[in-house]
């Protein structure tokens, strides 16, 4: 198999990589760029643990191949805090007790971030819908929704 | 000092590792990397009950990048693991007992190569009759999964004079309850990395049970405990499902043989097939009460499917038996339980250890009694509720922290708000 050349923007930095066309974006981010916040929970787009923000939209990186992100802007959890300053969602997730085992947390925060980027004042129903593609097995979701509501208030 | 003067107790505190988790810096097992690290995979059975007629890994071994293929004969120590009863082989030796039994291990330079190697392995089975039901498992002529009986555990609990008490009851209800197998679906599939350096095996694993893992790894490798280290790394949920051995012995065995670090990350499918499940149980219950609403006697016969291996079955059966009267005072009790081996997925620990199954039974029986007596179901429960001073069927006296009545009243008030 021949390698392909893919250029995209990762966490505000332009990057280029030679990779196999059948490489999944989740593997490329984790293995080639060291973005291990991107988690694989199911490998079939069901659990949302591998969510990244692609051009402002949350997507599951386990169901995308490397070539599909050419020219895109990709944000992982590593790119959310700026100069050591936490994003408001990172703060409220901690304060609300929305983090337990932490495996769903990166995808959950990024789905919430993508929502707030488009809609800074979502209703509870809109939050629930935006997070419906991210599974959490520990919290029961209540505190996650509360964390997003706390972020809206601030 | 008032109750509220503590700095931690009673306060809402931010968990210690929350910051590393919201930053994405917390390292889970699959995030670990070591120089020269190889990847491991497991060749698993696709049939539930069989002897292995032929296994051939020569094509896999010929693949460039494949470091080794290991089978049961490569185990230097004991080929037995298990949390309470050591009945699960690290790699199949005599026969396959469930779909997903581990038959061979492979280590290779990339995860892709591991999959390629697994696809090249060949196997032929001599199929045995699979046992999927408790009824068939208990029949005399059924094939035996371990040893000479499929009965894994039996328990009997009795207090008072059950038959005499039933004779004096005004109402008696009899029902049968069945619960299904459940998977924990911890969000992080099982994973780990093992290293072998300076004659020490170190396993970094997603686990709930590092101390038990240590004895199983030491046993399989035939090493003394002081040469085995288990490091529980950040673990993505378990709920009981990561109490059993998952990848630990396999990666340790591979690392021990090739002297290089080996990582193994299960796919969701592999994790779901192999990890323990909640015991499916059937409970035949008879409950009697006098017309004042006092429960006088309970009799339960329960069966549970522990699957191919015991796992936490011996603990689950005990809890299910002890708790099957629920939080109610019952002076006369007779409970019999039988757990059996089948060729179904292994059942083990899952939040509650058999108590949630029993709850379906005792709560169903309370509703049935309330209906017979035309009593309010909450009133009936309050009338029979455990309190401080209650003696339960095992003879234990409840001396403090009996919050059932308050909990029930609070739940009833909340239910009125929403219903």
């Amino acid at each position: 198999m021949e390698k392909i050349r893919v250029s995209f923007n990762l966490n505000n930095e332009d990057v280029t990589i030679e990779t196999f066309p059948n490489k999944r974006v989740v593997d490329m981010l984790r293995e080639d760029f060291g973005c291990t916040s991107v988690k694989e929970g199911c490998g079939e787009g069901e659990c949302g643990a591998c969510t990244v923000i692609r051009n402002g939209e949350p997507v599951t990186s386990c169901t995308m191949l490397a070539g599909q992100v050419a020219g895109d802007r990709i944000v992982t959890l590593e790119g959310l805090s700026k100069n050591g300053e936490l994003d408001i969602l990172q703060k409220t997730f901690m304060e609300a007790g929305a983090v337990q085992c932490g495996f769903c947390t990166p995808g959950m925060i990024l789905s919430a971030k993508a929502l707030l980027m488009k809609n800074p004042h979502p209703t509870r129903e809109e939050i629930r819908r935006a997070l419906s593609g991210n599974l959490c097995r520990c919290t029961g979701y209540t505190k996650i929704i509360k964390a997003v509501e706390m972020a809206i208030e601030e | 000092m008032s109750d509220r003067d503590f700095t931690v107790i009673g306060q809402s505190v931010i968990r210690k590792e929350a910051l590393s988790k919201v930053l994405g810096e917390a390292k889970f097992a699959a995030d670990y990397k070591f120089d020269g690290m190889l990847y491991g995979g497991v060749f698993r059975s696709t049939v539930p009950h069989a002897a292995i007629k032929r296994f051939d890994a020569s094509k896999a071994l010929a693949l460039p990048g494949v470091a080794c293929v290991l089978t049961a004969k490569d185990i230097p120590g004991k080929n037995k693991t298990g949390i309470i009863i050591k009945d699960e082989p690290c790699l199949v030796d005599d026969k396959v007992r469930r779909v997903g039994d581990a038959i061979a291990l492979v280590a290779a330079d990339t995860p892709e190569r591991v999959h390629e190697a697994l696809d090249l392995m060949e196997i032929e089975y001599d199929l045995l009759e699979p046992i999927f039901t408790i009824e068939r498992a208990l029949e005399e002529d059924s094939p035996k999964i371990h040893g000479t009986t499929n009965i894994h555990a039996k328990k009997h609990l009795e207090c008072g004079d059950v038959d005499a008490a039933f004779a004096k009851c005004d109402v008696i209800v009899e029902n049968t309850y069945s619960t299904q197998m459940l998977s924990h679906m911890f969000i992080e599939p099982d994973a780990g990395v093992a290293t072998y350096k300076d004659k020490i095996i170190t396993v970094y694993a997603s686990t709930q049970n590092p101390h038990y893992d240590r004895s199983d790894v030491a046993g399989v490798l035939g090493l003394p405990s002081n040469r085995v280290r288990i490091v529980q790394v950040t673990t993505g949920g378990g709920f009981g499902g990561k109490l059993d051995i998952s990848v630990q012995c396999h990666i340790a065995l591979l690392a021990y043989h090739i002297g290089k670090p080996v990582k193994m990350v299960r796919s969701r499918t592999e994790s779901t097939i192999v990890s323990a499940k909640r015991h499916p149980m059937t409970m035949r219950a008879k409950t009697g009460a006098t017309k004042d609403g006092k429960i006088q006697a309970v009799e339960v016969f329960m069966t549970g499917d522990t699957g191919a291996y015991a796992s936490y079955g011996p603990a689950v059966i005990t809890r299910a038996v002890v708790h099957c009267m629920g939080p109610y005072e019952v002076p006369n009790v007779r409970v019999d339980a039988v757990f059996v081996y089948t060729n179904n997925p292994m059942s083990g620990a899952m939040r509650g250890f058999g108590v949630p199954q029993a709850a379906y039974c005792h709560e169903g029986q309370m509703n049935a009694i309330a209906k017979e007596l035309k009593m309010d179901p909450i009133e009936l429960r309050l009338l029979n509720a455990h309190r401080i001073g209650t003696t339960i069927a095992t003879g234990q006296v409840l001396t403090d922290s009996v919050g059932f009545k308050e909990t029930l009243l609070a739940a009833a008030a909340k239910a009125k708000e929403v219903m």
Side-chain angles (χ1 to χ4, degrees):
Chain A
M1 201 184 300
E2 264 182 57
K3 283 190 172 180
I4 56 166
R5 198 177 155 86
V6 184
S7 297
F8 60 103
N9 185 285
L10 175 61
N11 295 329
N12 249 343
E13 197 182 315
D14 290 326
V15 295
T16 297
I17 182 174
E18 305 247 329
T19 187
F20 289 109
N22 65 349
K23 187 121 181 172
R24 301 180 306 168
V25 172
V26 58
D27 297 326
M28 177 175 75
L29 292 172
R30 286 177 56 84
E31 292 162 17
D32 301 314
F33 293 102
C35 294
T36 50
S37 76
V38 186
K39 303 299 184 201
E40 179 172 352
C42 70
E44 51 191 55
E46 284 294 333
C47 78
C50 67
T51 300
V52 298
I53 302 177
R54 176 201 187 203
N55 302 330
E57 294 287 338
V59 294
T60 49
S61 60
C62 74
T63 54
M64 293 182 70
L65 298 177
Q68 287 178 278
V69 298
D72 289 346
R73 288 187 73 82
I74 302 290
V75 179
T76 70
L77 193 58
E78 284 87 351
L80 208 57
S81 49
K82 290 189 185 71
N83 310 320
E85 178 77 11
L86 291 182
D87 186 88
I88 182 68
L89 282 164
Q90 290 172 309
K91 286 185 199 158
T92 58
F93 265 65
M94 283 201 291
E95 285 162 12
V99 179
Q100 284 190 31
C101 87
F103 199 80
C104 77
T105 305
M108 200 66 84
I109 291 179
L110 291 173
S111 283
K113 183 69 186 173
L115 168 69
L116 298 188
M117 279 158 57
K118 276 192 293 191
N119 176 3
H121 296 283
T123 62
R124 181 168 294 184
E125 190 49 41
E126 287 168 330
I127 297 169
R128 288 164 62 103
R129 192 166 302 141
L131 299 182
S132 64
N134 292 79
L135 302 184
C136 169
R137 298 291 292 148
C138 304
T139 65
Y141 301 102
T142 307
K143 290 178 175 184
I144 291 173
I145 291 164
K146 191 179 166 209
V148 181
E149 289 178 335
M150 282 163 64
I152 300 167
E153 281 166 24
E154 291 204 21
Chain B
M1 190 188 262
S2 87
D3 286 353
R4 298 290 166 211
D5 283 345
F6 300 115
T7 54
V8 174
I9 295 170
Q11 308 296 318
S12 190
V13 293
I14 291 178
R15 56 190 302 141
K16 191 160 84 80
E17 81 292 8
L19 180 64
S20 70
K21 287 176 174 173
V22 299
L23 286 170
E25 289 173 355
K27 273 174 88 175
F28 293 77
D31 304 336
Y32 278 74
K33 251 185 182 174
F34 291 91
D35 286 341
M37 186 176 81
L38 300 180
Y39 297 84
V42 185
F43 182 83
R44 296 189 179 280
S45 67
T46 52
V47 297
H49 201 189
I52 297 172
K53 202 156 109 188
R54 187 181 73 91
F55 173 72
D56 184 355
S58 52
K59 285 181 192 159
L61 275 166
L63 203 63
V66 170
C68 70
V69 173
L70 305 178
T71 59
K73 65 181 183 338
D74 300 303
I75 293 172
K78 288 188 209 117
N79 188 13
K80 288 287 175 213
T81 67
I83 216 83
I84 297 173
I85 300 171
K86 304 240 175 269
D87 62 0
E88 183 182 2
C90 173
L91 292 168
V92 169
D93 42 20
D94 59 338
K95 64 173 179 174
V96 162
R97 293 180 172 84
R98 63 167 166 176
V99 170
D101 257 354
I103 293 166
L105 305 175
V106 60
D109 56 349
T110 67
E112 291 78 11
R113 195 103 57 202
V114 167
H115 287 291
E116 247 180 284
L118 292 174
D119 287 345
L120 289 171
M121 293 182 194
E122 292 168 10
I123 192 154
E124 276 177 62
Y125 299 104
D126 275 326
L127 296 181
L128 301 166
E129 180 200 329
I131 299 177
F132 297 130
T133 64
I134 290 169
E135 292 71 26
R136 179 63 184 137
L138 289 172
E139 279 167 9
E140 238 169 65
D141 69 338
S142 66
K144 303 300 176 262
I145 295 163
H146 298 272
T148 55
T149 173
N150 287 327
I151 293 176
H152 151 61
K154 270 186 168 182
K155 288 278 171 194
H156 174 76
L157 173 66
E158 185 154 355
C159 77
D161 187 339
V162 177
D163 299 321
F166 275 126
K168 288 181 198 154
C169 285
D170 298 307
V171 289
I172 292 174
V173 293
E174 290 187 71
N175 291 296
T176 301
Y177 302 83
S178 292
T179 64
Q180 78 278 37
M181 181 176 287
L182 293 174
S183 183
H184 311 73
M185 285 297 155
F186 34 76
I187 195 79
E188 176 211 25
D190 323 70
V193 188
T195 64
Y196 187 49
K197 217 179 140 195
D198 304 329
K199 296 196 170 175
I200 304 280
I201 280 283
T202 306
V203 175
Y204 303 83
S206 174
T207 176
Q208 292 179 263
N209 237 356
H211 43 307
Y212 282 86
D213 295 352
R214 188 192 200 195
S215 67
D216 270 349
V217 169
V220 165
L221 294 182
L223 292 177
S225 301
N226 63 354
R227 285 178 59 194
V228 178
R229 271 183 82 211
I230 307 288
V231 182
Q232 186 203 4
V233 301
T234 309
T235 297
F239 320 116
K242 286 180 182 166
L243 287 166
D244 302 284
I245 278 287
S246 63
V247 301
Q248 296 88 328
C249 292
H250 293 159
I251 52 178
L253 191 61
L254 286 168
Y256 179 78
H257 271 271
I258 52 185
K260 287 182 180 173
V262 178
K263 182 189 316 206
M264 202 180 271
V265 181
R266 284 185 181 167
S267 69
R268 172 60 61 186
T269 304
E270 188 179 17
S271 170
T272 306
I273 289 172
V274 183
S275 61
K277 305 285 172 283
R278 185 184 290 290
H279 283 79
M281 283 170 46
T282 298
M283 293 151 284
R284 198 171 70 222
K286 180 176 172 185
T287 304
T290 37
K291 57 177 179 276
D292 57 358
K294 288 295 276 181
I295 306 295
Q296 301 297 343
V298 166
E299 185 176 33
V300 180
F301 175 69
M302 57 170 72
T303 53
D305 181 352
T306 208
Y309 302 105
S311 179
Y312 269 98
V316 171
I317 190 171
T318 305
R319 300 263 180 105
V321 165
V322 169
H323 288 270
C324 76
M325 286 65 67
Y328 307 110
E329 290 184 332
V330 186
N332 304 286
V333 171
R334 182 158 60 222
V335 187
D336 280 285
V338 181
F339 273 27
V340 302
Y341 287 116
T342 64
N343 297 113
N344 287 324
M346 175 178 86
S347 299
M350 182 167 182
R351 310 186 88 165
F353 274 77
V355 180
Q357 290 94 315
Y360 278 105
C361 174
H362 59 69
E363 293 309 311
Q365 289 297 90
M366 291 304 274
N367 286 345
I369 289 278
K371 201 171 168 188
E372 282 293 315
L373 288 173
K374 297 186 174 58
M375 258 183 96
D376 177 73
I378 302 280
E379 285 302 316
L380 177 75
R381 284 169 169 84
L382 290 171
L383 182 68
N384 291 284
H386 278 176
R387 66 201 79 206
I388 288 178
T390 295
T391 303
I392 64 170
T394 56
Q396 183 188 353
V397 182
L398 305 180
T399 53
D400 58 359
S401 267
V402 185
F404 174 54
K405 274 191 179 182
E406 291 84 338
T407 309
L408 182 60
L409 286 168
K414 194 75 187 167
K416 276 190 190 129
E417 278 176 33
V418 294
M419 276 155 63

